[in-house]
Amino acid sequence: MDTLLVERLRATETGHNFQFGELADYRDGDGVVLALAIDWENVSTTDIDGNTKYVVDVHGQVLAFDYSTMKVVGAFPIGVQVRDARKGGPSDDHARALARRALIGEDDFGLLASFVEMLKQVELKPAYSNRIQVTTAELSPESVSVVDELGLDADAFSARVGQTMSKYLASNQSVPVLPFKKGTVIGNQMAAQFTNGDVYQLEIPNPDYTVSFTVDRLRKLELDRTSSQIAYLYGLYATARVSQPLLEKDYANHQFKYAVSSTVPVGIRPDDPAAFEELVLSSINSFTQQISDPQREWVDKWGVTDGIQKAFLEMGDVLAKCR
């Protein structure tokens, strides 16, 4: 992984001045240390009428930190998902092959490609004057009931929400974020193990601004039915809040809705867990795209509470202070 990542960085013009080899010993305290931090992996299989559906997730961060202080400077979350289906039961060998594709990939696909692509979009600095962090990702009791009925783990689902919010906030707005961590962070630190075996506790600075995201409602409706297919609508209501804890000030605390449709042949069971996960991912992606350039059409269609367009502009001002 180390070798392949360096090869990709050497072959790509990212606009950054990288040092490789002995001159780039991360322990010398010279400059910002950049690392690919893989923080979540998951392989799931589902039986569908004698076929096995595979879903492989690999998530990580373009992590920048100062070795002399062991303090995180900023992070840009990235992630890759691979889906596949094959006849017969689950195969460990096939799951490994899909995991390798997610990690190493080819051309512009895979976690390594995502790492390099992110570096082409963002500006890395030794320090940022302000920091932002997704600190809360929650499901309402009503949403927890839906997730439980789907056979999904509610804690894992809410963690995915937080990771997704961090990822799209960073990628769509080109802003560094402090790493998201589900639950209580003891001493505000994160453990990091390097490929050479070294283990360190990296300090996560306190955020100047925080983001909270709550999935308020999840719904599935049948839109249309013919003799050959059925169309379903998957929808949600969610609340996003951007605050400045020191001043106890909210820049946004607004609810929006979002929906996606899915059509399946008659007689085939819809993949509801995947559809709801795709719904959450798409809604957060769409929401974060609006921050820097809110569109009236989007606000009229998906906004629930009043004043959301003004809130987008205020959130944009907050993010400008964190770049």
Side-chain angles (χ1 to χ4, degrees):
M1 288 289 291
D2 289 342
T3 302
L4 292 172
L5 181 57
V6 169
E7 288 178 355
R8 281 182 176 265
L9 288 172
R10 288 184 184 276
T12 308
E13 178 54 52
T14 63
H16 302 293
N17 179 24
F18 292 119
Q19 295 183 21
F20 302 103
E22 292 300 322
L23 293 177
D25 187 339
Y26 64 83
R27 291 165 293 192
D28 67 8
D30 183 20
V32 176
V33 178
L34 197 63
L36 167 57
I38 300 174
D39 53 27
W40 186 65
E41 303 163 302
N42 186 61
V43 178
S44 64
T45 58
T46 306
D47 176 71
I48 303 177
D49 299 325
N51 298 312
T52 299
K53 175 185 175 181
Y54 298 83
V55 179
V56 177
D57 289 281
V58 181
H59 288 250
Q61 303 181 53
V62 179
L63 185 66
F65 65 96
D66 184 332
Y67 182 80
S68 62
T69 62
M70 301 309 295
K71 182 177 293 187
V72 173
V73 174
F76 299 87
I78 54 177
V80 172
Q81 183 179 88
V82 177
R83 298 186 184 186
D84 194 23
R86 286 200 168 190
K87 292 182 178 180
S91 164
D92 289 343
D93 288 341
H94 188 58
R96 290 190 190 96
L98 294 177
R100 178 180 176 83
R101 180 167 180 252
L103 281 167
I104 297 174
E106 55 189 16
D107 298 327
D108 60 350
F109 180 80
L111 201 67
L112 298 186
S114 298
F115 183 96
V116 175
E117 186 62 30
M118 179 63 80
L119 288 178
K120 291 163 62 177
Q121 301 175 19
V122 303
E123 180 182 2
L124 287 174
K125 299 179 181 178
Y128 295 87
S129 55
N130 291 279
R131 306 179 183 92
I132 191 166
Q133 181 181 36
V134 178
T135 55
T136 306
E138 297 180 333
L139 305 178
S140 70
E142 183 180 351
S143 297
V144 170
S145 297
V146 175
V147 170
D148 287 342
E149 290 176 4
L150 294 171
L152 300 173
D153 181 89
D155 286 339
F157 194 94
S158 60
R160 177 80 179 272
V161 170
Q163 290 168 330
T164 301
M165 187 65 182
S166 294
K167 172 187 173 182
Y168 282 118
L169 190 63
S171 60
N172 287 334
Q173 297 299 325
S174 299
V175 61
V177 298
L178 295 177
F180 169 76
K181 175 105 176 149
K182 176 69 176 175
T184 303
V185 182
I186 299 176
N188 215 30
Q189 293 184 330
M190 65 179 292
Q193 179 173 356
F194 290 82
T195 51
N196 66 358
D198 291 347
V199 179
Y200 296 100
Q201 293 292 330
L202 299 180
E203 180 185 347
I204 302 175
N206 291 324
D208 300 286
Y209 302 97
T210 61
V211 179
S212 301
F213 192 87
T214 303
V215 179
D216 300 316
R217 294 171 60 190
L218 293 169
R219 288 287 187 271
K220 174 190 174 185
L221 301 172
E222 184 177 314
L223 282 180
D224 190 30
R225 178 186 291 261
T226 67
S227 59
S228 60
Q229 61 185 19
I230 305 174
Y232 295 99
L233 182 73
Y234 296 87
L236 62 69
Y237 281 77
T239 299
R241 179 182 180 187
V242 178
S243 306
Q244 189 174 11
L246 188 62
L247 298 182
E248 298 183 348
K249 178 180 180 180
D250 284 347
Y251 292 88
N253 190 5
H254 291 275
Q255 188 181 62
F256 70 97
K257 58 187 177 181
Y258 201 76
V260 297
S261 60
S262 176
T263 302
V264 298
V266 171
I268 299 297
R269 183 179 59 196
D271 189 350
D272 289 341
F276 275 113
E277 289 189 349
E278 179 66 25
L279 167 68
V280 173
L281 184 150
S282 298
S283 69
I284 295 175
N285 183 27
S286 180
F287 177 83
T288 53
Q289 286 176 342
Q290 293 298 309
I291 294 175
S292 57
D293 186 22
Q295 302 296 308
R296 171 54 64 182
E297 181 181 0
W298 191 99
V299 171
D300 292 341
K301 184 175 183 179
W302 302 120
V304 176
T305 51
D306 294 333
I308 192 170
Q309 183 156 5
K310 179 181 178 182
F312 277 133
L313 297 175
E314 291 188 356
M315 283 189 281
D317 291 339
V318 167
L319 296 184
K321 299 175 183 178
C322 299
R323 292 190 181 95

